[in-house]
Amino acid sequence: MCLPDVCLPMTPGEPLRLVGVELRWLELSLAEPLDTAGGTHAARPIVLVRVVTDHGEGYGECAALAEPGYSHEYAARAWRTLEGRLVPGLLDSAGGQVPSPGEVGGILEALLDTGDDQPMARAALEMGVLDAVLRVSGRSLAEYLGVTAPVVPAGGVVGICSTPGELIEKVAAMHDRGTRRVKVKIRPGHDVEPLSALRGAFGDVELLGDANGAYRLGDHRRLARLDPLGLLCIEQPLPAHDLAGHAELARRIGTPVCLDESLRSVADLEKAIATGACEVACIKPARMGGYLAAVAASEMCLSSGVPAYCGGMLEAGLARAANAALAGLPAFTIPGDLAGGERFVEGDPFGALEDLGGVVPVWHSPGLGPCPDVASLARVTTRTSWVGR
Ligand code: MG
């Protein structure tokens, strides 16, 4: 798919000018910590960017978590990179004009060293520019992507639970709300039994296990014991760098192997598919460097016959809305990690994505999603920084 440049409703020939970017540190925390093989997530700071142009503004959320672990990126580092390199570099580019959304990724990529790439920081700024340009032009992300669906299916995510009973209780609550696809965090020794218990309790729920890279190829016999459960896939069983191991594991077990952490760019995805390491793809716009890279990744999955779903990063409501629009593209044949928006202790300034019974709405108003509630935003903001021209 070739994305059209967004047409701006201004005097012909008049460029949209970039005035500056405000960074806001949002101190959010999860109402219920999420336990994974890679650690427990409780605090959820979000670096928010507000891109200000001479005709309007837009917001972008940085998905980097509080600590490194899921990836090498983390929120405090993303702040420094945005403040010190990416925002000044964008302001200097194109003589202060707002680049077209399709150009932003390349501009930002060139500002970081290859060995120090930070796709989540880049994605946040690209998101802010895209939101601003779409709002100014009165268009939604869905319209920009050619997505017309009013809703998309939404799957839920459950962390590692201390007992099978607790796990079943949590999935039962999701099931009661209409969720029909559930991702369960697993790790060695906490996999076959809980997933078997779930399969026994919920025959009509599509299940997948997410290992966050906790296994090694030598665990293939244990992982093969998941085959009779008919899982959609096992997500990121081996460490991110081990493409050859994933390809070999895919040959040894019946459950399809899905990659998440391994896919940091479209080039990574291409290599993973070519080597047989990626039978299902979990596409996260932030991890791949932005929504436009995610669109390209989805097209690669579609043309390669690799089923895909849109992954989640414990986002606030803006990125959740944008993810729902992305998930309306034809490559996303598996429900994404879109349910469970009510995760935060304090109110989400963008509001939780409404769960409509196993589906969530696609945002069809201008921009990527809702504007923040000013009072809520002020309550959770602990630091701001303005970088202007
Ligand atoms: Mg994952």
Side-chain angles (χ1 to χ4, degrees):
M1 179 166 79
C2 185
L3 293 169
D5 267 346
V6 178
C7 298
L8 302 172
M10 296 185 294
T11 311
E14 183 190 354
L16 189 64
R17 298 197 69 78
L18 190 54
V19 177
V21 174
E22 182 188 54
L23 303 179
R24 298 182 76 100
W25 183 278
L26 309 189
E27 200 60 65
L28 296 171
S29 56
L30 301 180
E32 186 179 312
L34 181 69
D35 198 9
T36 77
T40 299
H41 305 291
R44 187 24 172 149
I46 288 178
V47 177
L48 188 71
V49 304
R50 182 169 68 94
V51 173
V52 180
T53 77
D54 59 349
H55 282 71
E57 59 186 42
Y59 287 89
E61 272 187 60
C62 183
L65 297 168
E67 306 285 343
Y70 170 80
S71 91
H72 64 292
E73 293 189 82
Y74 55 98
R77 185 178 181 209
W79 176 286
R80 290 195 298 272
T81 302
L82 282 158
E83 187 178 46
R85 298 178 72 177
L86 294 177
V87 173
L90 187 70
L91 288 167
D92 284 346
S93 71
Q97 294 179 18
V98 178
S100 75
E103 293 172 330
V104 175
I107 292 170
L108 299 182
E109 208 165 348
L111 293 169
L112 298 177
D113 302 329
T114 314
D116 183 36
D117 193 17
Q118 296 176 58
M120 294 185 193
R122 288 194 282 112
L125 193 48
E126 183 197 83
M127 197 177 166
V129 172
L130 186 56
D131 190 42
V133 170
L134 287 169
R135 284 187 198 284
V136 168
S137 63
R139 300 177 70 189
S140 67
L141 177 62
E143 184 184 352
Y144 181 55
L145 299 178
V147 170
T148 56
V151 296
V152 289
V157 180
V158 187
I160 293 171
C161 296
S162 49
T163 65
E166 184 190 348
L167 178 62
I168 287 173
E169 200 176 304
K170 286 184 178 176
V171 174
M174 291 182 176
H175 189 263
D176 288 348
R177 290 196 298 268
T179 306
R180 291 294 178 268
R181 190 235 68 172
V182 175
K183 176 194 286 193
V184 180
K185 296 289 186 180
I186 59 173
R187 65 180 171 219
H190 202 94
D191 39 29
V192 180
E193 289 75 15
L195 282 169
S196 299
L198 272 189
R199 176 48 77 223
F202 303 98
D204 62 338
V205 170
E206 294 185 301
L207 294 174
L208 58 146
D210 183 3
N212 291 105
Y215 294 85
R216 299 297 177 266
L217 185 56
D219 296 317
H220 66 91
R221 287 189 186 82
R222 182 168 187 91
L223 291 173
R225 289 175 58 198
L226 298 172
D227 288 350
L229 303 180
L231 304 183
L232 276 172
C233 60
I234 175 168
E235 183 177 313
Q236 199 66 45
L238 310 182
H241 67 273
D242 193 4
L243 281 194
H246 281 102
E248 181 58 31
L249 183 65
R251 286 189 281 274
R252 294 190 188 188
I253 65 174
T255 306
V257 169
C258 170
L259 294 185
D260 172 10
E261 286 92 329
S262 296
L263 307 178
R264 291 182 184 174
S265 66
V266 177
D268 285 347
L269 175 66
E270 185 173 26
K271 188 175 172 191
I273 292 174
T275 57
C278 184
E279 296 173 299
V280 176
C282 173
I283 295 178
K284 293 180 177 173
R287 197 201 52 231
M288 303 200 81
Y291 281 89
L292 302 192
V295 170
S298 81
E299 288 173 353
M300 184 173 290
C301 287
L302 196 60
S303 62
S304 308
V306 172
Y309 55 91
C310 179
M313 286 290 298
L314 302 172
E315 293 93 343
L318 179 68
R320 280 179 180 271
N323 285 353
L326 180 75
L329 290 174
F332 295 98
T333 53
I334 297 173
D337 302 339
L338 302 169
E342 307 275 356
R343 282 185 177 274
F344 301 112
V345 175
E346 279 280 352
D348 177 347
F350 291 94
L353 204 55
E354 193 183 2
D355 190 332
L356 302 172
V359 297
V360 291
V362 173
W363 181 260
H364 282 287
S365 298
L368 302 186
C371 288
D373 175 75
V374 175
S376 301
L377 186 62
R379 241 186 335 266
V380 297
T381 300
T382 58
R383 184 159 51 123
T384 64
S385 174
W386 171 258
V387 186
R389 288 182 55 77

